[in-house]
Amino acid sequence: MSHYTKEHLFSVVDHTLLKPEATWPQIQKLCDEAMEYHTASVCINTCYVKQAAEYMAGRVPVCCVVGFPLGAMDTASKCFEARTAIENGASEVDMVINIGRLKNGEYDAVREDIAAVKQAVGDHCLKVIIETCLLTDEEKIKMCDIVPEAGADFIKTSTGFSTAGATFHDIELFAKHVAGRCKIKAAGGISTIGDMEKFLDLGADRLGTSRAVGLLTAE
């Protein structure tokens, strides 16, 4: 028997549709489901933020991705994208770090990139995607310091567009090394209710998945 209610599981899900071919009717359906099941947010690309925010009229927060999915654009571009999204009605921004700079050991540059986007979004929630599948454990642990130091609200595992998604090992690692300094989001490849529950048990505060409604409403 699950120790989480379906309502609780929905309440921690960023209901996600980030495919490049996503149409407005598909985004609309995502929003309808989010409003029906009271998800934490809808997570979408920035081109649909204004429409989705107007469509839902404050009933569910709009989350969007910035510098996605590579993270390899310059900081000013990420900041512009984030600021525009907030102006268009986004409540939350999920940005991708500069992975190459992290690999170079340019930790200050990685921190400054995140801090600049946090400044651009102000009081709004900033989640930082570190793309765990491309990192060593040492690099992940380093990001557990950099993300909270930069003032971001969440550390997040994955874009869902690289070689793998969230793993239990990564969420355990985050929980240990973040040590309460920021929240944790598991995203990418979450495919069962059991996965959802285990990620929460291990310390995730939020789950990013496109599958939650299908999983939780299946008889």
Side-chain angles (χ1 to χ4, degrees):
M1 191 68 185
S2 169
H3 51 291
Y4 296 104
T5 63
K6 284 184 180 181
E7 288 75 20
H8 179 74
L9 291 174
F10 276 126
S11 77
V12 296
V13 164
D14 289 339
H15 192 27
T16 304
L17 178 56
L18 295 168
K19 290 178 177 174
E21 71 275 22
T23 62
W24 171 244
Q26 291 172 323
I27 298 291
Q28 220 170 1
K29 181 172 183 271
L30 188 85
C31 292
D32 288 338
E33 290 170 344
M35 291 187 287
E36 181 177 353
Y37 297 110
H38 308 290
T39 63
S41 76
V42 296
C43 185
I44 57 178
N45 284 298
T46 51
C47 68
Y48 286 123
V49 164
K50 197 170 198 302
Q51 269 175 292
E54 287 170 358
Y55 182 68
M56 294 195 294
R59 288 177 60 191
V60 173
V62 175
C63 168
C64 67
V65 290
V66 158
F68 191 87
L70 303 177
M73 46 295 291
D74 64 277
T75 300
S77 301
K78 290 180 184 177
C79 291
F80 180 84
E81 190 179 14
R83 207 164 21 244
T84 304
I86 297 295
E87 286 166 6
N88 283 336
S91 302
E92 304 186 355
V93 165
D94 291 17
M95 70 171 285
V96 186
I97 64 161
N98 191 310
I99 300 161
R101 296 244 188 264
L102 175 62
K103 295 276 181 195
N104 292 338
E106 296 177 60
Y107 304 129
D108 288 345
V110 175
R111 189 184 297 105
E112 286 159 16
D113 186 57
I114 299 166
V117 177
K118 179 58 187 171
Q119 194 173 4
V121 304
D123 294 336
H124 295 276
C125 178
L126 178 65
K127 309 189 202 88
V128 179
I129 304 168
I130 70 168
E131 203 67 288
T132 44
C133 61
L134 301 181
L135 306 182
T136 64
D137 276 4
E138 189 181 11
E139 288 163 343
K140 294 170 200 172
I141 290 166
K142 187 70 187 171
M143 288 311 302
C144 287
D145 287 332
I146 289 176
V147 169
E149 285 165 7
D153 304 281
F154 278 80
I155 186 169
K156 175 179 168 183
T157 55
S158 318
T159 61
F161 284 73
S162 190
T163 55
T167 67
F168 300 136
H169 167 74
D170 288 337
I171 297 302
E172 274 185 290
L173 193 76
F174 284 3
K176 181 180 176 187
H177 292 279
V178 164
R181 291 175 295 164
C182 69
K183 292 180 178 177
I184 294 169
K185 177 175 171 181
I190 299 172
S191 56
T192 68
I193 294 173
D195 283 352
M196 295 171 75
E197 293 174 340
K198 185 158 186 189
F199 280 124
L200 295 176
D201 288 342
L202 292 174
D205 301 281
R206 197 78 72 86
L207 305 172
T209 175
S210 58
R211 298 186 180 101
V213 169
L215 290 172
L216 293 169
T217 59
E219 287 304 320

